[in-house]
Amino acid sequence: MAGGMRSKGCRTCRMRHVKCDEAKPTCQRCQKAKMECRGYTPVQMFVDEAPRILEAQAKASAKKKLKQVTESNQDTTLVRRCISIPSGLAMGVFSNALLMNLDLSAFAQDIYHTFLFSHLFDGPSVYNPNILSEVAYTSTSNTPSVALDALARMYFGKMNNCQRAIEEGTKLYGTSLRQFKQDIATLTSAYSHWVLTTAMTLEIYECIAFTSTSGWLQHAGGIGALVLARGPSRHQKAFEHNMFRSSRMIIILACLTRRQHTFLEQEEWKTIPWALQPKSPSCYLIDILSNVPGFLADSKALEDLRLSGASQGLISVTRAKLTESVITQLQKLYDWRWNWESANASTTIVASADASRLKPAPFSTILTFTNVRVANAVAVYDAVALLLLRLLSTLHPDESPFSFVAPKPPVDFCGTNPLLLPGDPMNLAEIALEICRTVDYHLWDGHSSVGAFAILFPLRIACTCLSQVYEEVKGRSSHRISGCNLLLIRKWMREVERFIVEGNGFALGSGVFRDIGGYEVLE
C-alpha cells in the first residue's frame, strides 16, 4: 500500500465532483452555491500498488532473461526487431517468455530472408526482391540461392549491426562469385534468366556492402555484358522484361560514371524489349538518359582532339555535330515533360521545410507527392536536364545553355503542379534545388528503401551542380541563390547521407557526395 494525493481543489468540490477554482481562503464556487467550503486540507487515500509492483517485477525478470539471451546468442536478440507475438496469443502457448528462451539460430536463414523481403525495396518498385526467391529455388543451379543468402545476411548485418551476419554474408558472397563464374562459362547457362538474376543480386549486395568504390561498377559491367549477349529479343516476356528494365538503369549509370557509350542508346534496345509489354513514361525518360553517357564520351574525345593540336575546322565540325545531338535530346526531354505534366496533374504539393526531418534545411520549402513514382520521375527528369544543359555549357561556355532550345508547350497545355517547367529555370542551381527538395519525400519511412535507392542518382547530379555554384558565390557577401542558403548545403548533405546509409543500408550512398569535387569545400 502507498499513500497518494488527489487534486488540489477544496474538499467540498471534490466531494461534489465539480471543478474547483482553488480561490483562497475559500473557493468562489462554494460561495456561489451557498455551500460550506471545507478548505484545502490534503486528503490521503490508499492505492493498491500490487498490480504495478507485479508488472515491474515481470518486466525486470524479462529484462534479465533478455540480457542472458543477448550474451549467449546475438541473433536471438536482433530477431525481436523483426518478430512480434500477436496480442491474442501473448497469454497462450506462444508467450514472450517462451520466445526469449528459444534458440533461434536454427531459423537464421528464414529470419534473414524475412527481414530482407520486408525491408529492402518493400514498396512500389520495378525491381522486387521477392522475385529473387522464386528464381533462387527453381533454377537448375544453386548459385542464385547462395547469392540471395549472401545478400540477406549482409543486409541484416548492416541494418542491425550484427557482425556475425556480415561475416557469413561475406563468405557466401565469395562462394556465389566462384559458382557464378563457372555458370557463365557454359553458353546455355549464360543465356538463362536466373544468371541475370544472380548478377543483379550480386550488384545489390555491392550497393549494400560497398566493399570498394569500383565493386558496383564491375558488377554493372558484367550485367551489361550479359544483357548484350542475350540480345534485345530475349527480354520481352514479363519476368525477363522486368529484369531488363531494372538492369538498364544500372548499366546506364555505370557508363555515365565511366563516360563511355552504351549499347542501350541503340534504337533496337529502345523498341524490341517492349514488343510484348506496354512502355511507361518513365521508360521513355530512361531512353533519353541512355544517350547521355555517349555524349560525355564524345565531349571527352572532343577535348582530347583539341589538346592534340587538331585543326580548328575539324574541332568546329565535331563540336557542331555533338551540339546538334544534345539539342535533339533536350527537345525530346522538354516534350516528355509537357506530356508528363498533363498526365500527372495535381500530384505535387509544396510544404514548409519546418516539417523536414533533414536538418538544417538549406531551403524554405520542400515538395511532397501523391506517390514515390511521381517524386522520382520529377527528380530523374531534373537530373537528365542538368546533364544535357551542363553539356551545352561545356561545349559553348560563352553562351547560356537555356538559349539553344525555345520550349513551346502544347496549345491546350495547363500545368497544375508547383514544379519547374521547360523555360522556367533561370540557372542550373534552380533545377538542382528542385531535386534536393524532393529528397525528404523520397526518404519518408513509408517508402522503405525504394525512395532512398531511387534518389541516389538524381541527388549526385544535383550536388555536383551545387558544389560548382558554391565555388562561384563563396566569395560574395550573400550566399543565397534561388532562396537557398548554400552555407548549409554541406551539413544537409551529411544528414541525407546518414539517412541513406544508416537508415536504409545503402553503403554506396557514402560515396555519392565524397566522390564529387566540392563536397569537402562546402563549409
Side-chain angles (χ1 to χ4, degrees):
M1 300 290 185
M5 187 185 301
R6 293 206 287 186
S7 70
K8 296 180 180 179
C10 74
R11 296 176 64 183
T12 304
C13 288
R14 288 203 301 270
M15 292 176 64
R16 295 174 60 205
H17 299 289
V18 296
K19 186 176 181 180
C20 180
D21 57 33
E22 300 182 22
K24 302 293 177 65
T26 59
C27 79
Q28 297 295 321
R29 185 154 197 158
C30 287
Q31 291 182 19
K32 290 181 180 179
K34 297 181 179 180
M35 299 184 68
E36 178 187 3
C37 180
R38 301 178 64 182
Y40 298 91
T41 304
V43 176
Q44 299 288 332
M45 62 177 297
F46 288 103
V47 180
D48 186 1
E49 292 279 77
R52 184 184 67 80
I53 294 173
L54 290 174
E55 182 181 2
Q57 290 176 343
K59 288 182 178 179
S61 177
K63 287 182 179 179
K64 183 177 180 181
K65 291 181 179 179
L66 179 58
K67 182 178 180 181
Q68 294 173 347
V69 174
T70 302
E71 293 174 349
S72 62
N73 190 340
Q74 185 183 27
D75 290 341
T76 305
T77 305
L78 292 173
V79 77
R80 283 172 186 58
R81 303 178 188 177
C82 315
I83 297 178
S84 60
I85 300 299
S87 58
L89 298 178
M91 300 304 294
V93 177
F94 301 101
S95 66
N96 286 328
L98 178 60
L99 176 61
M100 289 177 181
N101 286 311
L102 281 176
D103 181 2
L104 298 172
S105 59
F107 307 102
Q109 179 169 306
D110 292 336
I111 292 168
Y112 295 147
H113 284 214
T114 299
F115 187 83
L116 176 72
F117 297 145
S118 63
H119 290 75
L120 186 63
F121 301 127
D122 177 31
S125 175
V126 172
Y127 185 74
N128 185 348
N130 288 280
I131 298 176
L132 301 180
S133 181
E134 177 184 347
V135 175
Y137 300 110
T138 58
S139 64
T140 57
S141 170
N142 75 328
T143 307
S145 62
V146 177
L148 183 63
D149 287 344
L151 172 61
R153 281 166 167 77
M154 179 56 68
Y155 183 66
F156 184 91
K158 287 284 188 178
M159 291 295 289
N160 296 283
N161 195 27
C162 178
Q163 188 60 34
R164 175 180 171 181
I166 292 175
E167 292 174 355
E168 290 176 354
T170 302
K171 292 178 181 178
L172 287 171
Y173 174 70
T175 301
S176 63
L177 272 180
R178 290 190 293 272
Q179 293 182 190
F180 183 66
K181 291 178 181 178
Q182 295 175 358
D183 291 337
I184 61 177
T186 60
L187 188 61
T188 54
S189 296
Y191 287 152
S192 301
H193 63 274
W194 56 261
V195 169
L196 182 58
T197 305
T198 303
M200 288 291 294
T201 306
L202 296 175
E203 172 68 20
I204 298 172
Y205 175 97
E206 279 293 339
C207 292
I208 293 170
F210 200 53
T211 56
S212 68
T213 56
S214 61
W216 78 273
L217 281 173
Q218 293 174 352
H219 279 290
I223 292 172
L226 284 173
V227 172
L228 179 61
R230 287 166 55 87
S233 60
R234 280 193 173 92
H235 301 96
Q236 295 178 345
K237 295 182 180 179
F239 177 82
E240 289 84 353
H241 181 74
N242 283 338
M243 293 305 298
F244 168 72
R245 289 179 59 186
S246 299
S247 62
R248 189 165 75 136
M249 190 65 172
I250 293 174
I251 296 169
I252 292 173
L253 295 183
C255 291
L256 197 64
T257 302
R258 290 171 169 158
R259 295 196 170 197
Q260 63 183 30
H261 283 269
T262 170
F263 62 91
L264 293 173
E265 67 187 36
Q266 300 170 13
E267 192 62 27
E268 62 178 351
W269 285 97
K270 298 177 182 179
T271 54
I272 296 177
W274 281 268
L276 304 178
Q277 308 293 336
K279 196 164 187 177
S280 66
S282 62
C283 291
Y284 284 108
L285 180 58
I286 304 305
D287 283 349
I288 299 172
L289 176 61
S290 67
N291 296 282
V292 178
F295 292 160
L296 292 177
D298 294 343
S299 178
K300 184 178 181 300
L302 178 62
E303 179 63 16
D304 293 341
L305 195 65
R306 187 185 65 82
L307 295 175
S308 66
S311 66
Q312 189 60 42
L314 178 60
I315 294 176
S316 298
V317 170
T318 305
R319 182 173 62 177
K321 183 178 180 181
L322 178 55
T323 300
E324 182 180 358
S325 298
V326 174
I327 290 175
T328 298
Q329 295 304 317
L330 185 59
Q331 184 62 66
K332 287 183 178 180
L333 181 68
Y334 287 165
D335 291 341
W336 180 92
R337 182 65 178 85
W338 300 125
N339 293 330
W340 183 91
E341 181 71 22
S342 298
N344 293 271
S346 304
T347 55
T348 308
I349 302 172
V350 176
S352 171
D354 293 339
S356 173
R357 296 180 300 171
L358 303 169
K359 306 292 185 181
F363 24 76
S364 58
T365 60
I366 58 176
L367 297 173
T368 61
F369 304 86
T370 53
N371 59 68
V372 73
R373 289 187 184 275
V374 172
N376 197 239
V378 172
V380 173
Y381 161 79
D382 283 339
V384 178
L386 277 176
L387 287 169
L388 293 175
L389 290 168
R390 285 176 59 199
L391 269 166
L392 290 175
S393 293
T394 302
L395 294 171
H396 303 274
D398 297 330
E399 300 180 53
S400 168
F402 299 98
S403 65
F404 289 89
V405 177
K408 294 182 180 180
V411 177
D412 57 346
F413 176 79
C414 180
T416 58
N417 291 305
L419 299 169
L420 294 174
L421 292 171
D424 287 347
M426 300 300 294
N427 52 63
L428 297 180
E430 290 186 27
I431 304 175
L433 288 173
E434 184 167 81
I435 294 175
C436 294
R437 291 168 65 212
T438 73
V439 170
D440 203 274
Y441 183 82
H442 276 91
L443 299 184
W444 178 53
D445 292 339
H447 300 148
S448 187
S449 58
V450 176
F453 189 73
I455 195 59
L456 283 174
F457 157 63
L459 191 56
R460 180 187 177 98
I461 303 302
C463 289
T464 303
C465 175
L466 291 176
S467 297
Q468 295 172 345
V469 172
Y470 178 83
E471 283 297 303
E472 296 173 1
V473 303
K474 68 178 182 180
R476 302 177 188 174
S477 57
S478 174
H479 297 90
R480 301 188 70 86
I481 183 169
S482 302
C484 168
N485 185 352
L486 291 179
L487 292 178
L488 299 178
I489 284 290
R490 188 187 187 201
K491 293 181 180 179
W492 181 81
M493 285 182 183
R494 285 179 171 173
E495 186 67 5
V496 172
E497 180 180 316
R498 185 182 68 82
F499 265 75
I500 293 175
V501 177
E502 298 178 14
N504 293 278
F506 293 113
L508 176 65
S510 61
V512 168
F513 310 118
R514 293 172 186 170
D515 288 348
I516 62 178
Y519 178 82
E520 294 301 329
V521 302
L522 291 177
E523 309 247 359

